Amino acid sequence: MVTAVAQRLASQRKEIDDTLATFTLSTTQLQEVKAKMRVELERGLKKDTHPTASVKMLPTYVYRTPDGTERGKYLALDLGGTNFRVLVVKIRTGMRNSVRMYNKIYAIPLEIMQGTGEELFDHIVQCISDFLDYMGMKNTRLPLGFTFSFPCNQTGIDKGDLVSWTKGFKATDCEGYDVVDMLREAIKRRNEFDLDIVAIVNDTVGTMMTCAYEDPKCQIGLIAGTGSNVCYMEEMKNIELVEGDEGQMCVNTEWGGFGENDNIEDIRTRYDREVDGGSLNPGKQRFEKMTSGMYLGEIVRQILIDLTKRGLLFRGRITERLKTKGIFETKFLSQIESDRLALLQVRSILQSLGLDSTCDDSIIVKEVCGAVSRRAAQLCGAGMAAIVDKIRENRGLDHLEITVGVDGTLYKLHPHFSTILKDTVRELAPNCKVDFILSEDGSGKGAALITAVIDKYLYAMRFSDETLRDIMARFRREMENGLGGDTNPTATVKMLPTFVRSIPDGSEKGDFIALDLGGSNFRILRVKVSHEKKQTVQMESQIYETPEDIIHGSGSRLFDHVAECLGDFMEKQKIKDKKLPVGFTFSFPCAHSKLDEAVLLTWTKRFKASGVEGMDVVKLLNKAIKKRGDYDADIMAVVNDTVGTMMTCGFDDQRCEVGIIIGTGTNACYMEELRHIDMVEGDEGRMCINTEWGAFGDDGTLEDIRTEFDREIDRGSLNPGKQLFEKMVSGMYMGELVRLILVKMAKEGLLFEGRITPELLTKGKFETKHVSAIEKSKEGLTKAKEILTRLGVEPSEDDCIAVQHVCAIVSFRSANLIAATLGAILTRLKDNKNSPRLRTTVGIDGSLYKMHPQYSRRLHKTVRRLVPESDVRFLLSESGSGKGAAMVTAWASRES
Ligand code: 0WK
Ligand code: 0WK
Ligand code: BGC
Ligand code: BGC
């Protein structure tokens, strides 16, 4: 006699089983899901079906996984999972896994997640600022990798428009906009620190990279957490949205969108539709809403409500709590399903939700949780089976061995999710042996590794302030070596006395000729300095050629050429009958014994005329003039262009006591205390020292910061082993440095799809003026396209972005290094004056400093950071060093 209760229980049981059965997927159904997923993967990859595909297959511009050569220090942001993290990652090569990381977790309040885009990115920047403060890194411009766990249409590694928010995010004015731009804008708004955002990566990609660093077979990244998504390395030839057929690129599948075209309606339940209807993005992310941590708890809650309404649970009593959205968190599933938990504990969880439950209730709740999480794991398994089988077919293999890097709280914390997922993959993709490795360090490490891969050649060109201060100290020591009587002979930085003992004092007057040789132009000037009411200077000048065969020919031919040009100039000035005092700006290292006696130590830059090094250039010029016999000139002074520049600027600003050239070559001079200059008699007063800092490092002191590209430049130069500092920073070599890096990156397939053209391989084809043009903020990329097209490499848009990035790194290094050596001169001046704070003016000239759009700003900023106890005015020499040379000549004429 079956009691009514037993019957009622049995029919109740059946009703519950029928409900749970809608979550039970047969192998056939799972194979169908796998097949449908495969179709959507293909539709996402193909150009014509991509727009309507539900699985978007977004290109990531990550072409390969780490190979262990990555190294450097990087910042990383990790936004979009449970926690927002800011990290600093230090990667060292040698031992395979030598990565040190430090991170801080910051909350993203709901009102920020769902406020305005500006508030969200200001909040992110606020957190970065706090982190940099905490780490004492506010002044280091580190490269940053940004893990942004939302679908982005990327057009380059550092360019990605947000397609649509998912999970709990809904900030306004973000969808359709470039995430990197929004972050850069927010950093600008805060105006407190500067970062170089090198890459934006999806968390699946970051996870794959993090795990691939440990296991090279890892070519898939899976997130089973708040959200659900996968990426994998696809063959370029299958990615129709991106140019090129060679090699691979990582594709962010965004499989969360699977089903948005109604192709899995057969397995979606009414509870899934409830959850979707109540979500922030109804109709979207249907697969995610069946598989990820943000929604599983909600699905369970919907089922519990339905079973309770039908009187099958909690004695039909629905509590307010149970009606509260999000109250049944996914972590409860993990807790309830963990075998360790006795039913009692299930009851206490239900208790905490204000649900009075019986033992049976607890069992049913546990079954419901199990059914929901099992389906989620199986669905992910079916999706993964489609991915690994596609990769196997891509490679034409019968059997594939591959590793999946995984992260996400659902996979990590749920007691059965990972096992069921693996079992499903094994069952549905029997020809694939798939290993799963958990990402211990999160995707931030992966983001840093991606930054390192891109930055591989460039990271060595980034210097922290710590390194710059070290270089400053090294240069300071070289200055002391150069000034010291016993150390000067072996010093690399020669600290040459110029016999210029003061800057203009306003008393100068007269009619002078100035020659200006050694920069990009050979200029002859007539300089009239008069004293009507106030001292005025009138100048007329003419530029003359210095053909290659002249500057590479014999010294006598060179000076004959100079004398000929001078003759021509005097002709035009109708002063051939006059013997005007001449000031000779000779922009090369000369050992002076007096103002008008200067022995050339060594040629630099483009000059290589024979028979001049070791000779007095005044004698050589006088000899050439005498040989002509058609005019006479009185060469009163030879000055270096740095000295001429200091004097020219000193004419307008009495505080100017430093002269710098950042042009074809680079160099600096400054007013040193005579008592410190052992090579010159006397202790009173000051004398201008031509540092010849271009030779800094010629003794190997900079080997730790010189790169393979610097060495290649030097090997191909007119004076190998010499002027090593100059070759790292000056305009004569900057374009070539960039060209060598582009060739290397192209060879590695990181640029121009590996296209290497004869033009790109031609020395000097990429000029420094191109670097300046490409770094112009507005038209830079257009210029890049133009210049690279002329080199025949048919650049893509992201090639242009990458090239702009390379230019920025190379020119930034130059500005930073010169800031360091200038910093050493400024601190020496401050010490010489024994004053707590230095107030001074630096006269500056040179085409790189003048033409490059960002150079001067970067130099000024770094100098102010490296020498905080100084007020430095940078005064651009408008009229060139010829005027300065005339000032020196005026002084020399007075003395003679
Ligand atoms: C940790 C990763 C992060 C990712 C998260 C996903 O570092 O990039 O978004 O896992 O898991 P969730 O926190 O959403 O469970
Ligand atoms: C202009 C000066 C000249 C100096 C030149 C350096 O008048 O003495 O040599 O600047 O700049 P560059 O022409 O090498 O870029
Ligand atoms: C996003 C993905 C992300 C996944 C895991 C999804 O909602 O669309 O970009 O990878 O969550 O965090
Ligand atoms: C020379 C210096 C000169 C500098 C800037 C260097 O190559 O050695 O004497 O000042 O170029 O023109």
Side-chain angles (χ1 to χ4, degrees), residues 171-192:
T172 57
D173 316 319
C174 293
E175 291 175 342
Y177 291 96
D178 186 301
V179 176
V180 175
D181 285 350
M182 287 191 269
L183 181 59
R184 285 196 180 120
E185 295 301 318
I187 290 171
K188 235 196 242 132
R189 270 195 302 274
R190 194 176 181 88
N191 195 19
E192 223 189 76

Short mmCIF file of all heavy atoms in Angstrom, two decimals, residues 171-192:
data_model
loop_
_atom_site.label_atom_id
_atom_site.label_comp_id
_atom_site.label_asym_id
_atom_site.label_seq_id
_atom_site.Cartn_x
_atom_site.Cartn_y
_atom_site.Cartn_z
N ALA A 171 30.19 51.12 -17.68
CA ALA A 171 30.54 52.55 -17.66
C ALA A 171 30.18 53.19 -18.99
O ALA A 171 30.33 52.59 -20.05
CB ALA A 171 32.05 52.70 -17.40
N THR A 172 29.70 54.40 -18.93
CA THR A 172 29.22 55.07 -20.15
C THR A 172 30.39 55.65 -20.95
O THR A 172 31.50 55.80 -20.45
CB THR A 172 28.33 56.26 -19.75
OG1 THR A 172 29.11 57.13 -18.89
CG2 THR A 172 27.09 55.78 -18.99
N ASP A 173 30.09 55.93 -22.23
CA ASP A 173 31.07 56.58 -23.13
C ASP A 173 32.36 55.80 -23.26
O ASP A 173 33.45 56.38 -23.34
CB ASP A 173 31.43 58.00 -22.64
CG ASP A 173 30.22 58.78 -22.20
OD1 ASP A 173 29.20 58.67 -22.90
OD2 ASP A 173 30.27 59.40 -21.12
N CYS A 174 32.29 54.49 -23.24
CA CYS A 174 33.50 53.67 -23.43
C CYS A 174 33.37 52.75 -24.64
O CYS A 174 34.31 52.59 -25.40
CB CYS A 174 33.75 52.81 -22.20
SG CYS A 174 34.17 53.77 -20.75
N GLU A 175 32.18 52.18 -24.81
CA GLU A 175 32.02 51.22 -25.92
C GLU A 175 32.26 51.93 -27.25
O GLU A 175 31.79 53.05 -27.46
CB GLU A 175 30.62 50.59 -25.86
CG GLU A 175 30.48 49.67 -24.64
CD GLU A 175 29.08 49.10 -24.43
OE1 GLU A 175 28.13 49.68 -25.02
OE2 GLU A 175 28.94 48.12 -23.68
N GLY A 176 33.10 51.31 -28.09
CA GLY A 176 33.42 51.91 -29.39
C GLY A 176 34.64 52.82 -29.33
O GLY A 176 35.12 53.32 -30.35
N TYR A 177 35.17 53.02 -28.11
CA TYR A 177 36.35 53.91 -27.99
C TYR A 177 37.61 53.14 -27.68
O TYR A 177 37.56 52.04 -27.11
CB TYR A 177 36.09 54.95 -26.89
CG TYR A 177 35.01 55.95 -27.26
CD1 TYR A 177 33.70 55.74 -26.84
CD2 TYR A 177 35.31 57.05 -28.07
CE1 TYR A 177 32.70 56.64 -27.21
CE2 TYR A 177 34.31 57.95 -28.44
CZ TYR A 177 33.01 57.74 -28.01
OH TYR A 177 32.02 58.60 -28.38
N ASP A 178 38.76 53.74 -28.01
CA ASP A 178 40.06 53.09 -27.79
C ASP A 178 40.40 53.14 -26.31
O ASP A 178 40.54 54.21 -25.71
CB ASP A 178 41.16 53.78 -28.61
CG ASP A 178 42.47 53.02 -28.50
OD1 ASP A 178 42.97 52.85 -27.36
OD2 ASP A 178 42.99 52.55 -29.51
N VAL A 179 40.55 51.97 -25.73
CA VAL A 179 40.78 51.86 -24.29
C VAL A 179 42.12 52.49 -23.91
O VAL A 179 42.25 53.17 -22.89
CB VAL A 179 40.77 50.36 -23.90
CG1 VAL A 179 41.09 50.18 -22.44
CG2 VAL A 179 39.44 49.72 -24.27
N VAL A 180 43.13 52.28 -24.78
CA VAL A 180 44.47 52.83 -24.47
C VAL A 180 44.41 54.35 -24.47
O VAL A 180 44.95 55.03 -23.58
CB VAL A 180 45.51 52.31 -25.49
CG1 VAL A 180 46.87 52.97 -25.24
CG2 VAL A 180 45.63 50.79 -25.40
N ASP A 181 43.69 54.91 -25.43
CA ASP A 181 43.54 56.38 -25.46
C ASP A 181 42.86 56.87 -24.19
O ASP A 181 43.27 57.86 -23.59
CB ASP A 181 42.70 56.81 -26.69
CG ASP A 181 43.52 56.72 -27.98
OD1 ASP A 181 44.75 56.52 -27.85
OD2 ASP A 181 42.92 56.81 -29.07
N MET A 182 41.83 56.14 -23.77
CA MET A 182 41.09 56.60 -22.57
C MET A 182 42.02 56.58 -21.35
O MET A 182 42.00 57.49 -20.52
CB MET A 182 39.86 55.70 -22.34
CG MET A 182 38.76 55.94 -23.35
SD MET A 182 37.21 55.13 -22.90
CE MET A 182 37.42 53.54 -23.73
N LEU A 183 42.90 55.57 -21.30
CA LEU A 183 43.82 55.50 -20.16
C LEU A 183 44.86 56.62 -20.29
O LEU A 183 45.16 57.32 -19.32
CB LEU A 183 44.53 54.13 -20.12
CG LEU A 183 45.50 53.91 -18.97
CD1 LEU A 183 44.81 54.06 -17.62
CD2 LEU A 183 46.17 52.53 -19.08
N ARG A 184 45.36 56.83 -21.51
CA ARG A 184 46.36 57.90 -21.71
C ARG A 184 45.76 59.26 -21.35
O ARG A 184 46.39 60.09 -20.67
CB ARG A 184 46.82 57.92 -23.18
CG ARG A 184 47.76 56.78 -23.53
CD ARG A 184 48.49 57.01 -24.85
NE ARG A 184 49.40 55.88 -25.14
CZ ARG A 184 49.31 55.12 -26.25
NH1 ARG A 184 48.37 55.37 -27.13
NH2 ARG A 184 50.16 54.14 -26.43
N GLU A 185 44.49 59.47 -21.74
CA GLU A 185 43.83 60.76 -21.43
C GLU A 185 43.76 60.94 -19.91
O GLU A 185 44.06 62.00 -19.37
CB GLU A 185 42.40 60.76 -22.00
CG GLU A 185 42.34 60.72 -23.53
CD GLU A 185 43.07 61.91 -24.15
OE1 GLU A 185 42.91 63.03 -23.61
OE2 GLU A 185 43.86 61.68 -25.09
N ALA A 186 43.38 59.85 -19.24
CA ALA A 186 43.22 59.95 -17.77
C ALA A 186 44.56 60.24 -17.11
O ALA A 186 44.65 61.05 -16.17
CB ALA A 186 42.65 58.63 -17.24
N ILE A 187 45.63 59.62 -17.65
CA ILE A 187 46.96 59.89 -17.08
C ILE A 187 47.33 61.36 -17.32
O ILE A 187 47.84 62.06 -16.44
CB ILE A 187 48.01 58.95 -17.73
CG1 ILE A 187 47.79 57.50 -17.28
CG2 ILE A 187 49.44 59.40 -17.40
CD1 ILE A 187 48.62 56.46 -18.03
N LYS A 188 46.97 61.86 -18.51
CA LYS A 188 47.25 63.28 -18.83
C LYS A 188 46.45 64.18 -17.88
O LYS A 188 46.98 65.12 -17.30
CB LYS A 188 46.88 63.56 -20.29
CG LYS A 188 48.08 64.14 -21.05
CD LYS A 188 47.72 64.80 -22.39
CE LYS A 188 48.42 64.06 -23.55
NZ LYS A 188 47.48 63.78 -24.64
N ARG A 189 45.18 63.81 -17.68
CA ARG A 189 44.32 64.65 -16.81
C ARG A 189 44.97 64.77 -15.43
O ARG A 189 45.04 65.83 -14.83
CB ARG A 189 42.93 64.00 -16.65
CG ARG A 189 41.91 64.42 -17.68
CD ARG A 189 40.49 64.05 -17.26
NE ARG A 189 40.28 62.63 -17.01
CZ ARG A 189 39.98 61.74 -17.97
NH1 ARG A 189 39.92 62.12 -19.23
NH2 ARG A 189 39.80 60.47 -17.67
N ARG A 190 45.50 63.62 -14.95
CA ARG A 190 46.08 63.65 -13.60
C ARG A 190 47.42 64.39 -13.60
O ARG A 190 47.79 65.04 -12.64
CB ARG A 190 46.28 62.22 -13.08
CG ARG A 190 46.55 62.19 -11.60
CD ARG A 190 46.65 60.75 -11.09
NE ARG A 190 46.89 60.76 -9.66
CZ ARG A 190 45.90 60.79 -8.74
NH1 ARG A 190 44.65 60.82 -9.14
NH2 ARG A 190 46.19 60.83 -7.46
N ASN A 191 48.13 64.29 -14.73
CA ASN A 191 49.40 65.02 -14.88
C ASN A 191 50.35 64.85 -13.71
O ASN A 191 50.92 65.82 -13.18
CB ASN A 191 49.12 66.52 -15.10
CG ASN A 191 50.39 67.18 -15.63
OD1 ASN A 191 51.26 66.47 -16.14
ND2 ASN A 191 50.50 68.47 -15.44
N GLU A 192 50.53 63.64 -13.29
CA GLU A 192 51.40 63.38 -12.14
C GLU A 192 52.54 62.46 -12.52
O GLU A 192 53.62 62.54 -11.98
CB GLU A 192 50.53 62.69 -11.08
CG GLU A 192 50.70 63.15 -9.66
CD GLU A 192 49.92 62.20 -8.78
OE1 GLU A 192 50.43 61.09 -8.56
OE2 GLU A 192 48.79 62.55 -8.42
#
